[in-house]
Amino acid sequence: MSFLDKLIKNRERTRLEEAVRKDPSPAAFLGLARVLQQEGDLAQARQVARRGAAAFPKDSELAQLDRDLTTLERDAECRRLREQIANFPNGRLYARLAELYRAGGQPDKAVQVASSGLGSFPNHDGLHYVLGLLHADAGAKEEACKHLSRAAELDKFNYSALKLLGRLLSELGRHMDAAETFAKIRGFAPDDEEVKELHSRASRAGGTGPRPAPVPAAARTAPAPGPAVEVRTAPAAPAPAGTGATAADDGSGGSGNGGSSSLLAIALSRIVGKDGIEGAILADSKGTPVASAMPAGQDEQSAAAALAELRRATSPVCGEFGLGGFEEAFLEAEGGGMCVFAMRDMTLGIYVAPRSRAGLIAMHARAFARKIAGSGPEETGS
Amino acid sequence: MKEILAGLCRVPGVNGAMAVSSDGLLIASQTGLGGKDAEEAAAAVAGNLGKVVGPVLQKLGRGEMKHVVVSGAGGRVLLVGSGPGCLVALLEPDANLGLVQLELGAAAVEAGREMRL
């Protein structure tokens, strides 16, 4: 492209950007998206088309362009992943590629990729999960259960795998197994109303009342590994006399909160020490601590209150700037940082050392969130 | 100030930018958020964020605030202190955060000078 062509194109893009900003119309969005597409900036082009389609939902041309660009971007991402797999294969790349093929309506290719990934990485929970999903899509429930069970074996906090497994087991009439699976989820997500309902339904169908959530061995075999952090759990509300550890030790189940709280603290302490994470705390919306693995010298109560304050200040930013629901905030300061993650009603705060890598912190936090609430897709793999 | 913001908007992945005073008033903007009211409301919450985050970070023993990144489902906002106010950049979800931070840091120094004048 000659210099003059480039100049003309730049001017055209600037004009369209101005038009989108000052006097948005379907034509302006279409024009800008197409210019960006011609420049090879597919991500930006799709973004513009998506914004346009959202602003003018009745414009079929914009909707079509949004779909076309999404497909093109997905194809480009697939190409990129295939190249990465060819050079530096790992389970997560295979799982991501299989997910993309599944989302693109190519289940056969997705199964092929996931199976080939499992050939090289037989113990990757993400690959078993994707394959389970694909078999479930195809109606092969037994096969799906096999892979989902394996995914849950490899990662016992895999909410999505456990939930789908429970549903499939119910559909197969294996109600007792389904109830046991839902009980496992309730072990770490006791407030999940949907799972609570599924659990009681499966238990009723199986001819018994809901069994108490199991207490995994990890909760009984504390102390948790990790650096010098203080692992604390909030006392279980219905049983004020007992701490989380006590509830876990007696094994009676009760409301399950004590054991879960203890389990949460252990799960939190496991991310501490990784990639500059100095401590972590989970607080509810009222600023009360739920569980924590605090850095030395930090007060849990005031940290939880500060965390709720941060969440209150950051959430409206997403609303006013049109970013959708609040997901996370990374606050960097001279002496370290603080990451704030939305986990449904709760907020996860992570203390990070100065110059920590935000991407890695987010990865650990999302893995934790996924384990606890099933809020993230295939982020961390194993 | 307009020029500083325009320069910032040319950084790949930046959708818009605004300068906000310490009390949350809009100084200048280039965001296309959909009118002055929307921009003023956004400036108010950004100003509040800048005001809340500093003391809270101090309380948590993290020291002086450098910057804040807030992420939602549809994009991110990056906020840095700039003189008496703050500078905010609206980012695409897949923007190169490191690059934008560099550019925003430089722009914040310049904008801070303008705000003090």
Side-chain angles (χ1 to χ4, degrees):
Chain A
M1 191 189 290
S2 72
F3 172 75
L4 197 62
D5 286 339
K6 268 189 191 166
L7 190 71
I8 293 169
K9 279 212 174 297
N10 278 346
R11 283 206 177 147
E12 175 64 359
R13 195 185 58 206
T14 310
R15 185 186 70 76
L16 288 164
E17 281 170 349
E18 280 287 302
V20 163
R21 249 196 293 273
K22 292 184 176 160
D23 183 21
S25 66
F29 277 107
L30 277 170
L32 182 57
R34 284 185 177 138
V35 166
L36 290 165
Q37 185 188 358
Q38 280 167 14
E39 287 176 0
D41 193 347
L42 274 181
Q44 190 113 356
R46 185 185 53 81
Q47 201 66 33
V48 170
R50 182 148 298 177
R51 271 166 51 205
F56 300 97
K58 286 183 186 156
D59 191 288
S60 57
E61 213 176 334
L62 265 172
Q64 183 59 44
L65 184 63
D66 180 24
R67 281 195 294 274
D68 291 348
L69 288 170
T70 302
T71 309
L72 279 174
E73 205 190 0
R74 189 163 45 222
D75 291 348
E77 175 71 358
C78 286
R79 264 197 307 279
R80 193 183 64 79
L81 285 168
R82 278 199 302 267
E83 277 166 24
Q84 281 187 321
I85 287 172
N87 295 321
F88 307 103
N90 72 46
R92 187 169 179 266
L93 294 174
Y94 278 107
R96 175 84 187 119
L97 184 58
E99 272 185 341
L100 282 175
Y101 280 133
R102 177 175 177 257
Q106 295 173 278
D108 293 345
K109 253 183 164 173
V111 170
Q112 194 189 332
V113 168
S115 306
S116 136
L118 271 184
S120 310
F121 304 96
N123 292 326
H124 192 277
D125 66 307
L127 280 168
H128 281 288
Y129 173 62
V130 176
L131 213 45
L133 275 179
L134 287 159
H135 285 303
D137 291 346
K141 291 178 189 169
E142 292 285 358
E143 194 63 15
C145 286
K146 202 176 87 190
H147 285 288
L148 293 168
S149 300
R150 183 73 186 124
E153 249 173 57
L154 292 165
D155 176 1
K156 60 179 181 291
F157 298 108
N158 193 328
Y159 176 94
S160 314
L162 283 166
K163 195 163 163 186
L164 181 58
L165 176 63
R167 282 180 188 280
L168 291 176
L169 287 169
S170 290
E171 284 169 26
L172 286 168
R174 290 161 57 185
H175 300 295
M176 288 312 294
D177 291 339
E180 211 165 282
T181 305
F182 291 128
K184 282 182 190 164
I185 304 181
R186 292 190 61 199
F188 57 83
D191 298 327
D192 190 319
E193 290 299 327
E194 194 191 348
V195 171
K196 211 182 275 182
E197 173 58 31
L198 288 167
H199 184 202
S200 351
R201 217 182 298 160
S203 301
R204 276 197 304 273
T208 63
R211 280 192 240 165
V215 179
R220 292 191 294 269
T221 55
V229 292
E230 205 173 330
V231 179
R232 299 170 209 173
T233 60
T243 61
T246 314
D249 284 342
D250 71 25
S252 63
S255 69
N257 286 353
S260 311
S261 188
S262 166
L263 194 61
L264 282 172
I266 291 169
L268 278 178
S269 71
R270 285 199 176 135
I271 62 170
V272 176
K274 287 182 181 169
D275 300 308
I277 296 180
E278 294 177 338
I281 177 167
L282 193 63
D284 69 10
S285 56
K286 296 181 185 78
T288 314
V290 175
S292 71
M294 300 292 288
Q298 286 285 325
D299 171 50
E300 188 192 45
Q301 295 288 341
S302 52
L307 194 58
E309 189 65 18
L310 284 178
R311 172 92 184 255
R312 262 196 290 274
T314 45
S315 296
V317 172
C318 286
E320 295 301 339
F321 282 91
L323 307 181
F326 170 74
E327 285 184 351
E328 62 195 50
F330 185 70
L331 299 84
E332 195 169 345
E334 300 288 346
M338 188 79 192
C339 297
V340 182
F341 294 88
M343 284 183 56
R344 299 193 183 168
D345 290 348
M346 289 192 280
T347 309
L348 171 67
I350 296 183
Y351 290 78
V352 296
R355 288 177 295 283
S356 294
R357 294 172 186 227
L360 287 173
I361 308 295
M363 188 184 81
H364 293 306
R366 285 185 202 131
F368 175 81
R370 191 188 64 169
K371 282 173 181 173
I372 300 306
S375 60
E378 182 52 29
E379 280 301 338
T380 55
S382 56
Chain B
M1 190 63 85
K2 284 266 180 204
E3 273 176 32
I4 296 170
L5 297 183
L8 210 45
C9 289
R10 280 195 288 273
V11 177
V14 176
N15 261 345
M18 62 166 58
V20 182
S21 74
S22 58
D23 42 8
L25 294 175
L26 184 65
I27 297 173
S29 78
Q30 234 184 58
T31 61
L33 275 176
K36 202 160 180 279
D37 287 351
E39 288 188 332
E40 281 175 352
V45 292
N48 179 54
L49 179 64
K51 224 172 190 175
V52 169
V53 166
V56 170
L57 282 173
Q58 295 274 10
K59 199 171 168 185
L60 292 169
R62 310 275 87 187
E64 205 69 40
M65 178 190 110
K66 278 162 76 178
H67 65 253
V68 180
V69 185
V70 181
S71 308
R76 283 181 285 191
V77 160
L78 177 58
L79 181 146
V80 291
S82 170
C86 61
L87 211 54
V88 185
L90 272 87
L91 314 184
E92 299 281 356
D94 41 12
N96 179 338
L97 196 58
L99 173 70
V100 181
Q101 266 174 19
L102 282 176
E103 297 287 343
L104 191 63
V109 174
E110 230 178 304
R113 231 176 281 141
E114 292 287 320
M115 284 189 211
R116 282 196 192 93
L117 287 177

